[in-house]
Amino acid sequence: MLNQAATILTKTGLTWFVPFVRLAAGEEPRQQMREILLQIGVPMFAFALFLALWNVLAAGVQTSLGAIPGPMQVVAEAQGLIEEHRNEREKAARFYERQEARIAQALVEDPTAEITKRTWTGKPTYLDQIVTSLYTVFTGFALATLVAVPLGILCGLSPTFQLAINPLIQIFRPVSPLAWLPIVTIVVSAVYVTSDNAWFEKSFITSAVTVTLCSLWATLINTALGVSSIDKDLINVAKVLRLPWYTKVIKIVLPSSLELIFTGLRLSLGVGWMVLIAAEMLAQNPGLGKFVWDEFQNGSAHSLGRIMVAVFTIGFVGFLLDRVMHTLQQLVSFSGQSR
């Protein structure tokens, strides 16, 4: 039971808690306490030192909007954003209550009356913008995966195809999202015509495609590396058995290269999350990037604190996304070792 709990914590990337499990089981208490101090105590001390330095130094930096906010001011701004979210939800609930009452009254007066239901059109809250950013980055990440994995498999199986596509990879891989964004914006505006019933806004499509173009390369390269590193005996067995190409890919190629593919996916998601913020700033997709840009343009006394809240949110969400991909990578890893 102890080993199973430790294995689960390791695979989910929560190795910090393994010493607590072992300590609770009475296994070498002195050694486990040493591990707890090393893995928990040292990082907490370093973070506390960072907060103390931030609190001291921030007050000495004066800007056009006042002093740089300290940790407590940032926490207060975060609480204010959560309170704004609650207030907006209460307004929406009252709106729908009034609408239902109005509809019920109209049906009482005329059972055949034509009923029109309206949706709440209030501004998106900070939490709504976090959800929008996650939805956008996963859309771009999914598109990147659908493009990169098949291309990576072709590169790994065919040296000729790899030689043909390698110059394109080397040219486009370093391109900044700020360079892609104007091109994507122009193309999306030309080919995607929105209407009142459109499923997606142009800003969302633009941001998601920009994420796709910047994040697919890590998956493509790692997939090609994983496929090209497959034991040649397995490929020869497939040839002897005369397996169809599709069967060879599903039964041999993908299982053998899955660990490196997930390494690429993990890197791609991290790149996509970083790219997304810049893309949303310029495309005005209502996510965290737009929130940061709006606060910068707003220039109020709360703007710096709110931008700092967004910075910590972006970092924390990025950390969680990496932990999720790390867990998936560990689940498909034969070695059980993290990368």
Side-chain angles (χ1 to χ4, degrees):
M1 186 67 181
L2 173 63
N3 291 334
Q4 184 179 6
T7 300
I8 292 174
L9 290 172
T10 301
K11 283 190 173 292
T12 54
L14 300 176
T15 54
W16 314 308
F17 299 104
V18 172
F20 288 100
V21 175
R22 298 189 184 279
L23 182 63
E27 180 181 321
E28 300 181 1
R30 183 173 296 180
Q31 177 64 25
Q32 303 312 321
M33 287 300 299
R34 187 180 297 112
E35 289 294 324
I36 290 172
L37 289 175
L38 181 63
Q39 297 189 27
I40 304 294
V42 173
M44 289 184 64
F45 174 77
F47 189 71
L49 181 61
F50 162 74
L51 292 178
L53 289 174
W54 173 17
N55 188 58
V56 171
L57 297 177
V61 180
Q62 295 292 328
T63 71
S64 59
L65 301 179
I68 296 291
M72 297 309 298
Q73 289 89 345
V74 172
V75 170
E77 292 297 342
Q79 293 172 342
L81 290 169
I82 294 173
E83 187 63 28
E84 286 181 8
H85 174 78
R86 291 173 180 168
N87 293 338
E88 198 69 18
R89 285 292 174 268
E90 290 176 0
K91 290 179 183 178
R94 291 195 295 268
F95 169 82
Y96 286 115
E97 288 175 2
R98 291 193 299 269
Q99 179 171 252
E100 292 300 325
R102 176 178 54 80
I103 291 174
Q105 181 63 30
L107 290 175
V108 168
E109 296 175 356
D110 181 5
T112 62
E114 184 176 345
I115 301 301
T116 301
K117 289 190 174 182
R118 297 179 175 85
T119 58
W120 174 250
T121 57
K123 66 176 183 178
T125 65
Y126 184 67
L127 298 184
D128 294 331
Q129 289 172 302
I130 295 175
V131 173
T132 298
S133 288
L134 288 171
Y135 179 57
T136 306
V137 78
F138 276 115
T139 301
F141 174 68
L143 292 174
T145 302
L146 291 175
V147 173
V149 172
L151 286 179
I153 292 174
L154 289 174
C155 287
L157 292 177
S158 173
T160 302
F161 184 81
Q162 184 172 2
L163 288 172
I165 200 173
N166 186 60
L168 298 177
I169 296 175
Q170 300 306 322
I171 290 172
F172 291 124
R173 183 168 60 90
V175 176
S176 166
L178 300 180
W180 280 120
L181 198 60
I183 300 173
V184 174
T185 301
I186 293 171
V187 173
V188 170
S189 298
V191 302
Y192 184 72
V193 180
T194 58
S195 63
D196 293 337
N197 297 322
W199 285 8
F200 306 109
E201 294 292 332
K202 286 184 179 180
S203 60
F204 167 78
I205 299 293
T206 300
S207 300
V209 172
T210 303
V211 169
T212 299
L213 290 173
C214 293
S215 65
L216 63 87
W217 309 110
T219 299
L220 196 161
I221 293 170
N222 278 272
T223 300
L225 178 61
V227 173
S228 63
S229 302
I230 295 174
D231 191 341
K232 299 303 179 184
D233 291 339
L234 293 175
I235 302 298
N236 293 333
V237 168
K239 292 180 180 178
V240 170
L241 296 177
R242 297 182 179 180
L243 295 178
W245 189 85
Y246 177 81
T247 304
K248 180 174 71 173
V249 169
I250 297 298
K251 298 294 186 179
I252 295 178
V253 173
L254 281 178
S256 301
S257 56
L258 204 55
E259 187 176 353
L260 272 176
I261 291 176
F262 267 88
T263 299
L265 292 174
R266 183 180 174 187
L267 293 173
S268 289
L269 185 57
V271 171
W273 182 246
M274 288 189 294
V275 165
L276 174 71
I277 305 305
E280 287 184 332
M281 279 186 181
L282 299 182
Q284 292 295 285
N285 187 50
L288 285 172
K290 186 176 185 299
F291 173 85
V292 172
W293 182 254
D294 288 345
E295 289 298 331
F296 173 72
Q297 294 290 95
N298 183 26
S300 71
H302 299 279
S303 293
L304 278 176
R306 293 190 171 204
I307 291 174
M308 291 296 294
V309 173
V311 167
F312 280 101
T313 302
I314 292 166
F316 183 69
V317 172
F319 169 76
L320 291 181
L321 293 178
D322 182 74
R323 290 298 89 190
V324 170
M325 293 306 298
H326 174 271
T327 301
L328 294 176
Q329 180 186 358
Q330 291 286 68
L331 292 176
V332 301
S333 171
F334 293 108
S335 63
Q337 298 176 352
S338 63
R339 291 182 180 272

